Structure formats: C-alpha cells, structure tokens
Amino acid sequence: MQKFDSALDMSSALAQEQSEYMSTLINNWQEIELRAQTASEAHRDTFAKRGALLPRERLGALLDPASPFLPLANMAGYLMDDPDPTTSVPGGSQIAGIGFISGVRCMVVITDSAIQAGAMTEAGNLKLMRCQDIALENKLPFIHLVESAGANLRKYRVDKFIRGGGIFYNLARLSAAGIPVITSVHGSSTAGGAYMPGLSDYVVMVRDRARAFLAGPPLLKVATGEIANAEELGGAEMHACVSGLAEYVAHDDRHAISLVRDIVANLDWNRQPLQVTGRSESRTQGVHAPAYAAQELLSVMPVASRKPVDMREVIARIVDASQWLDFKPAYGAATICGHAKLDGYTLGIISNNGPLDPAGATKASQFIQLCNQSRLPIVYLQNTTGFIVGRDSEQAGMIKHGSKMIQALSNATVPQITLYCGASYGAGNYGMCGRGFHPRFCFSWPNARTSVMGAEQAAGTLEIVAREQAARRGQTVDETALLRQKQEIIDNFEKQSSALVTSGLLLDDGVIDPRDTRAVLAFVLATCREADQRTTQSMQFGVARF
C-alpha cells in the first residue's frame, strides 16, 4: 500500500478557519456533557454523610487502574426533558461505557443517583437498552450498579411504561445467550427496577443501603393497608437470608464493588486463547502511527457542510502509516472504497467525496461483498448529500443501484462501524449504514449534520408545491404566508440536524472529538474481534433463581 500524500495546507487561512470552527464546536459539546458530572458532584456532601461513593467514584473503583474506557451515549436525553439548550442536562441519569474489570472487557452501566435520585427517564431507558444490545452483540458481561428511585410518577407516560419492559426482556436474553449479568444494588431498586437484580445472574447488595421491592412502604400501605419498614420489606439482609435474591451482602460501596470485581475475575472469561484482549503487545508490535498528526483533523472538514472535501484526508490521519489501497479509484470516483490497517487491524473503509451515484453505489456494493468474503470489518465515514438525483441518474438506474448497496450492507455479516464526519442527508444516511441499519457502533463528530435533506432544499420544495397548488386552483399566492412557512421549515430542520440533538435522541452511540477517532475505532475494532472469537454457552432460558 502507498502512503497518501496530503494536499492540506495547515498554514493556510482556510485550515485555520476550519480548525477554529471545529474547536468551538468541540468546546460547546464538552461543556454540555460536563453538566451531568457537575450536577452529580453538587451532591458530594450528601453522599459522604451516608458513607456512599458518588456514581463516578463507583466507576473509578470498578475499572482496572489505567485501563481504557469508552463512554457511550453521554449526550442521551439532551433537550428531551428540558428543551432549554442552556440548562438541559444530558446523560439520561446513567453513566455507561465499555471498560476492563479484572482484565475482562465489560459493558458497564451505573445509575447516576445524584441526578433526580436516579429516576428512570425515557432517555435513560433507551440508553440502558442500547447498552444491553451492544453487550449482547459483542458478548460483553453486563455489569450494572443500581440506585434508582424508579419511574418518575410526575411524568408518567403509558407508552414509556410499556416500552420500558424491553430492559427486562434484554436481561433475560443476555443470560440465556451465556453472557453473565452482574448487578450491584447500592440504594433503592423499586417496582419494575426490582426486576433488574431479579433477572441478574449474580447480585450484590449493600447492607443498610440497598432496597429491592415491588412495592415500597408507601405504595404497600396505599394498595393493601399493610405497614412494613423498608428493611424487612426489601433490605439486603432479608434478600440474602430469606428471599434468596442476593448472593452477596457488602459492608459499603467499596466492598460491593470489590465483590463485583471478584465475581468477574472468577468467570474465567478470558480462558480461550484470544488474540485480542485490549491493546496487547502482540497486536501493537509493528504498528505505525499515521504520518499526519491527529490534531490536523480539526482543519479537514469545511464549515459549510455542502462544501466538498477529499475524505482521504481524514483516512490518512487515522490509518496505520497513512497507507491506503484505493479500490476502483477511477470508477464511481465520488464514492471512496479501499483497504487499510488501523492499529494493526485490516479493514475496509467506505466514504464519500460527493453524492452516491450509480457507479459509486455499484462499486460500494461489490466492495461490501468482498469484505464479507474476507471477513473484514467495514468502517463507514459519512459525508454525503445523499443519492444523486436528476433525469440522467434516474434513467441510469439510481434506484436499483442504491437498493443494491442497501441490500449488501443490510445483509453483511461482518462488523460495520459508522462515523458521521460531516453531512448525512437523505437516503445517503441509509446507503452509508446509518443507525437504522444496525451498525455495531455509531459515533458522530460535533460538526455532523443529519437530515432527510438540507433545510433550504426542504423549504424550497414545499414552496414550489404550494405555488403549483395555488396555480391549479386559480388562487393568488400569499407571499407573506409563504415566506413565513419557508422560515418555519428551515428552523424546524436546522434545530433537529445537529450532532448534539441527534446524539441526545440516541441516534448514535456518542459524540467524539475528531482527534480521538483512531483510538475509538481501535477500541471498538478490538471489541468486535474479541466477540467474533469468543464462544458462549447459550441456553434455552436465562439462569433462574432457586
């Protein structure tokens, strides 16, 4: 493979402008993300008085020291419960990600009980279920540290209640698939939340702090008239000695977390001769860093999403030695396909230097099949205005060729990872393995924009329709009303298209700093490789408690 020769002039005014623009977006995103940690930290004294660790302290104690951790869905819920962009706190009251516990790569979800007492929100439920899906697909032990006030009854919605059952469905599926589910209860786990430990394979409960009951004392009194205190109704000692719900009783948070680490260590999860368990020495030997600095990724993407850019400039800054084998470069040239190595992993990469046209879709379809033939994972770097439109492209079979590409990626059996680097408009989102096509992982850069089409195009389209309707009816167009409609459409499209909004809606697995792209992709590629090499002991049913 040959090294890609960058044409990016880092000393140019354009590069500086684009770097400053991306830096501003990164700072804005990180400030919003930090709100969750700040809100949680504000309750430090309350947690300290009861001898409890803050949720992020629990995470720190749980993970192996100095080991990598990939946060997931940190923007979940942004603008959902609180529509004010200046005050909305993201995260869904959950801390989640993939990290190493006793040397084992695990999915970790921790209730952030310092925010609204850890009450479950719609975003929190969606985030939890997405993490369960990732754990199932990638064969990751599921570790859950629970302390939740349960559902927020003031904001009760029947549809959220019904869909929330998917959390428990997923726990049963994880156990039946041979993937251990380990829950540590650090506080309340009430009503439906009681089924989180109930559907776990191993349960740790903190003495005098943990509570698990289908109906807490207030609801019990209202529903039946029975009076019982919280400890006899659902305390750790009762569940360990009487009900059998808990296997282990811990003295405090740190003891509970040490028990979780011991349980993971005794799973012997890495007993198979896996080639990859994180960034092993054998994996990184002979790996050459990109020839261009990651910092330069801030200068690659244009400020205007419709302005063209050579996405090979991105590829050159994330792949090993900046080497790239271009596949059919002269055919369907606006669609980029090729082979490269990233942190030693051989993979296929598909990206866009323009809209997807018939030749580009044909090329990508062939390349996807070739990657499947060779069992190579595929990374999609999205920056497209969609499938090309027009009389010539329609007559050339754009619909059938685009459908061919969608057929290929929808039925691919290799890991597919999607990164929104810039524009993701129209069916281009679909053809480039958008969230609806279930990539193993899906991330966004802060500048990414997703929409069925550009705001101006949508407004212009509806303006033409309105004028044609008026003409057919012999009516005069109300220009003032039409102008108002146009602006309303533009505003509606614009406010939904940014990466922060789409990430808040769980339409990706998180926003990442472009400079971290290589590290994030290396981490998830290792996760996928490990999953593909692991054999689990599946069962007809999950482990039942006796």
Side-chain angles (χ1 to χ4, degrees), residues 326-382:
D326 227 332
F327 178 76
K328 284 190 173 180
Y331 181 77
T335 301
I336 302 172
C337 301
H339 294 93
K341 289 183 180 293
L342 196 155
D343 202 36
Y345 296 99
T346 304
L347 70 158
I349 299 177
I350 302 176
S351 190
N352 321 102
N353 277 1
L356 288 156
D357 57 19
T362 298
K363 176 169 72 172
S365 302
Q366 180 187 1
F367 187 71
I368 292 167
Q369 294 179 68
L370 291 171
C371 287
N372 274 258
Q373 183 188 62
S374 302
R375 300 299 304 157
L376 297 179
I378 304 170
V379 171
Y380 297 84
L381 303 177
Q382 283 208 21

Side-chain angles (χ1 to χ4, degrees), residues 475-493:
Q475 298 173 342
T476 302
V477 174
D478 185 337
E479 296 294 342
T480 302
L482 197 59
L483 185 62
R484 184 171 58 250
Q485 173 190 282
K486 183 177 181 179
Q487 191 58 51
E488 288 173 352
I489 293 167
I490 291 173
D491 292 344
N492 184 43
F493 270 67

Side-chain angles (χ1 to χ4, degrees), residues 279-301:
R279 291 178 56 82
S280 65
E281 185 65 27
S282 60
R283 167 56 56 185
T284 57
Q285 283 181 348
V287 172
H288 297 283
Y292 305 101
Q295 180 70 23
E296 295 180 4
L297 286 169
L298 301 187
S299 300
V300 173
M301 302 306 293

Side-chain angles (χ1 to χ4, degrees), residues 30-362:
Q30 290 179 338
E31 286 175 4
I32 294 170
E33 262 199 358
L34 189 61
R35 291 177 192 169
Q37 184 174 338
T38 302
S40 187
E41 182 70 27
H43 295 273
R44 174 173 291 279
D45 290 346
T46 302
F47 275 68
K49 286 177 183 177
R50 63 188 192 214
L53 297 175
L54 280 168
R56 282 169 179 78
E57 292 176 323
R58 293 171 186 168
L59 175 65
L62 180 66
L63 298 174
D64 294 347
S67 65
F69 179 72
L70 177 64
L72 296 171
N74 276 357
M75 288 297 294
Y78 177 61
L79 301 181
M80 287 180 68
D81 290 331
D82 178 2
D84 187 343
T86 65
T87 58
S88 182
V89 176
S93 299
Q94 308 274 346
I95 304 165
I98 301 172
F100 290 86
I101 301 171
S102 299
V104 177
R105 192 188 301 266
C106 297
M107 174 62 73
V108 178
V109 178
I110 301 175
T111 310
D112 196 339
S113 48
I115 298 177
Q116 299 181 7
M120 295 300 294
T121 64
E122 181 179 14
N125 287 347
L126 292 172
K127 179 173 178 174
L128 179 53
M129 286 189 279
R130 173 57 184 157
C131 290
Q132 291 171 329
D133 288 341
I134 292 173
L136 183 62
E137 188 168 25
N138 293 282
K139 302 174 186 175
L140 301 171
F142 189 81
I143 315 301
H144 197 182
L145 274 54
V146 177
E147 182 178 18
S148 173
N152 188 334
L153 298 182
R154 293 178 183 272
K155 297 182 179 180
Y156 167 75
R157 287 279 303 275
V158 68
D159 54 327
K160 297 177 186 177
F161 157 66
I162 297 298
R163 284 196 292 265
I167 294 170
F168 314 124
Y169 170 76
N170 286 343
L171 290 173
R173 291 172 65 228
L174 282 163
S175 180
I179 299 171
V181 178
I182 303 168
T183 293
S184 181
V185 186
H186 295 257
S188 179
S189 188
T190 308
Y195 283 107
M196 288 191 280
L199 286 161
S200 299
D201 300 318
Y202 301 89
V203 174
V204 179
M205 297 184 76
V206 178
R207 181 181 285 113
D208 299 327
R209 291 292 314 154
R211 304 280 189 270
F213 27 55
L214 296 179
L219 177 57
L220 182 68
K221 183 177 179 180
V222 171
T224 69
E226 183 180 349
I227 298 175
N229 65 48
E231 187 61 33
E232 65 182 343
L233 193 62
E237 292 287 356
M238 187 282 288
H239 281 306
C241 301
V242 180
S243 80
L245 177 67
E247 280 71 49
Y248 308 94
V249 176
H251 310 310
D252 55 24
D253 282 354
R254 289 195 182 277
H255 185 213
I257 290 167
S258 71
L259 288 170
V260 171
R261 288 181 54 81
D262 287 344
I263 293 167
V264 174
N266 284 282
L267 294 174
D268 198 18
W269 195 247
N270 290 334
R271 61 186 174 274
Q272 293 136 313
L274 298 173
Q275 297 176 7
V276 183
T277 54
R279 291 178 56 82
S280 65
E281 185 65 27
S282 60
R283 167 56 56 185
T284 57
Q285 283 181 348
V287 172
H288 297 283
Y292 305 101
Q295 180 70 23
E296 295 180 4
L297 286 169
L298 301 187
S299 300
V300 173
M301 302 306 293
V303 174
S305 61
R306 294 182 64 84
K307 187 176 179 180
V309 60
D310 187 354
M311 290 299 290
R312 294 179 183 87
E313 297 285 1
V314 173
I315 295 168
R317 287 161 177 81
I318 62 175
V319 301
D320 296 355
S322 299
Q323 292 182 341
W324 163 255
L325 181 60
D326 227 332
F327 178 76
K328 284 190 173 180
Y331 181 77
T335 301
I336 302 172
C337 301
H339 294 93
K341 289 183 180 293
L342 196 155
D343 202 36
Y345 296 99
T346 304
L347 70 158
I349 299 177
I350 302 176
S351 190
N352 321 102
N353 277 1
L356 288 156
D357 57 19
T362 298

Side-chain angles (χ1 to χ4, degrees), residues 397-415:
M398 187 67 259
I399 294 173
K400 73 175 184 182
H401 293 303
S403 299
K404 182 168 58 183
M405 184 175 177
I406 288 173
Q407 281 279 1
L409 70 93
S410 299
N411 293 292
T413 57
V414 297

